[in-house]
Amino acid sequence: MKRPKLRKASKRVSCSKRYKIQKKVREHNRKLRKEANKKGVSKRVKKDPGVPSSAPFKEEVLREAEQRRLQIEEEKEKKRHAKIEERAQKRKKEKEDAKKETDPKAKRARQDEAWQHTEKKAGPDKNSKQYLCSELNKVINASDVVIEVLDARDPMGCRCPQLEEAVLQSDGKKKLIFVLSKIDLVPKENVERWIQSLQLEFPVVAFKAATLIRDKTVQARKRRIDPSNEVLDRSRGAACFGNVCLTELITRFAANTQSETTLKVGIVGFPNVGKSSLINTMKGVLACNAGDQRGITKSMQEVHILKNVKLVDSPGVLASPSNPPASMALRSLQVEEGQESVLEAVRTLLKQCDKHQVMLQYNVPDFRNSLEFLTLFAKKRGYLQKGGIPNTEHAATAFLTEFTGAKLSYHCKPQEKHNLPAYMSEAVAAEMKSGWDLDYLKTGNEETLKGVKFPNQASSISFISKGPTAGLLSVSDLSEDKAGTVTTEGEEKNDENNEVTPPPPLFFPFESARHYSCFV
């Protein structure tokens, strides 16, 4: 018990407890003595009786024993002197090392040596653009079939011409197909029109990934509880559509190739289009890291889904700086890398959206510019700073996460007249479709569209797409794109004039003028 105003607790115990402890100790010692007696072990050291007087050569035996004793003592003395000398040398060496540390030249040489040693041991920087491009090229070269994952909300903006051209020009006759992911966030009529438009070039699979896939250990625990498991399976996040169709399509293609080697299927696309979620859904467990944050996957990862089929996950395609600002806000990692502010990205995206549909989607009143929208949005969600000031930075991050993640419903209209790109032709399109069971694909897409619950056209935000997004497959392309990007001052002024002038300070008394400087 700890006594008040004292640091240490009292060690006093009751007499009954103390006696009980003593009794237990006595019993324990008694038990040890009994066991020792049974084994014939005794603690007492037998006294040396010495050399008996009746023994012959008694004097010689005693003399030899004395010599042995003196020899042992000499050895002990030598060891003691050796230890003393060793300690003295150690102290001397420590003093010399301390003098060397104070010497600036020796210190600099030592630092250079340590730096070279760490450089040799350190691996490649997984965040560097060179490493990400090399990993993406590894996936393309190692794959027999390349699946380009497209976000159904903006399929044309998720296409990378450089990636498709690299797959078509690579050796080995690789096949390229499209997977239209996140179809549950787009109106049904829009999905059907996009499938009809895209399948003129490559086979298209409609897909809705499951977002509640967990680890094997968690699934094993959940199986014991039947009611909660049923609720999870029936929820919108756990439901997946198009999984059976895509798996069967790949299985039939592998059977048609009649190859004994494992069929490698590379999953490629821009960040946060659903590559890792597609692999997790087809595998049925959490095999790859996936989430709303962009750029989680940094290196290639192979996942077996069948005996003769292997999926290969890849990092997201790097967007070229020559793309329009709206494409960069959605497809690049400039916000995550700190090259662009999240407020500027939201300002760019709001320009491409229908204002009235945004007001209905987020239930906010009319706004005049992006800062006013973020202020209303922060108040609506409760993103407030000290003193009740709306946190526009937090609101902008949440809005951008919903826009790029699998939450916000928006759609783009496909082109009325479809034109093949320069690297495509009707012969190439026919070759890409050969070997696939197109009848089964059509039936599978129809079944998928029947099962998915689509949003209404009125509840989905209309978005203006900027067309295909240019990507980087090597670092050398980055320098060329930087040299070729030229933006005129007239275009920047026109963009700025599209925004309405900010409201006067009387409308938002808590905001200072400096908050509006980056939006005007």
Side-chain angles (χ1 to χ4, degrees), residues 262-280:
T262 304
L263 182 71
K264 290 187 178 181
V265 181
I267 313 297
V268 298
F270 283 100
N272 225 15
V273 292
K275 301 184 295 297
S276 300
S277 298
L278 184 142
I279 295 175
N280 292 337

Side-chain angles (χ1 to χ4, degrees), residues 145-163:
V145 176
V146 177
I147 294 179
E148 187 175 8
V149 184
L150 308 178
D151 193 334
R153 297 174 291 183
D154 184 14
M156 193 57 67
C158 293
R159 292 187 63 175
C160 179
Q162 290 76 12
L163 175 66

Side-chain angles (χ1 to χ4, degrees), residues 414-464:
Q415 298 175 356
E416 295 181 359
K417 187 179 180 181
H418 185 80
N419 297 321
L420 292 176
Y423 53 87
M424 282 290 296
S425 62
E426 293 182 359
V428 174
E431 185 182 351
M432 287 292 111
K433 293 177 184 178
S434 63
W436 300 101
D437 193 345
L438 299 180
D439 295 333
Y440 176 78
L441 175 60
K442 184 179 178 181
T443 308
N445 285 338
E446 290 176 356
E447 292 178 359
T448 301
L449 296 180
K450 286 180 182 178
V452 178
K453 185 178 180 181
F454 294 96
N456 296 326
Q457 192 84 20
S459 62
S460 181
I461 299 174
S462 179
F463 184 79
I464 301 173

Side-chain angles (χ1 to χ4, degrees), residues 234-251:
R234 291 174 184 174
S235 64
R236 183 178 179 182
C240 60
F241 299 93
N243 179 24
V244 178
C245 175
L246 183 58
T247 306
E248 183 65 23
L249 192 70
I250 294 173
T251 305

Side-chain angles (χ1 to χ4, degrees), residues 52-67:
S53 302
S54 59
F57 312 110
K58 178 181 178 180
E59 293 180 359
E60 293 179 4
V61 173
L62 291 173
R63 198 180 301 115
E64 288 177 3
E66 185 67 20
Q67 288 177 358

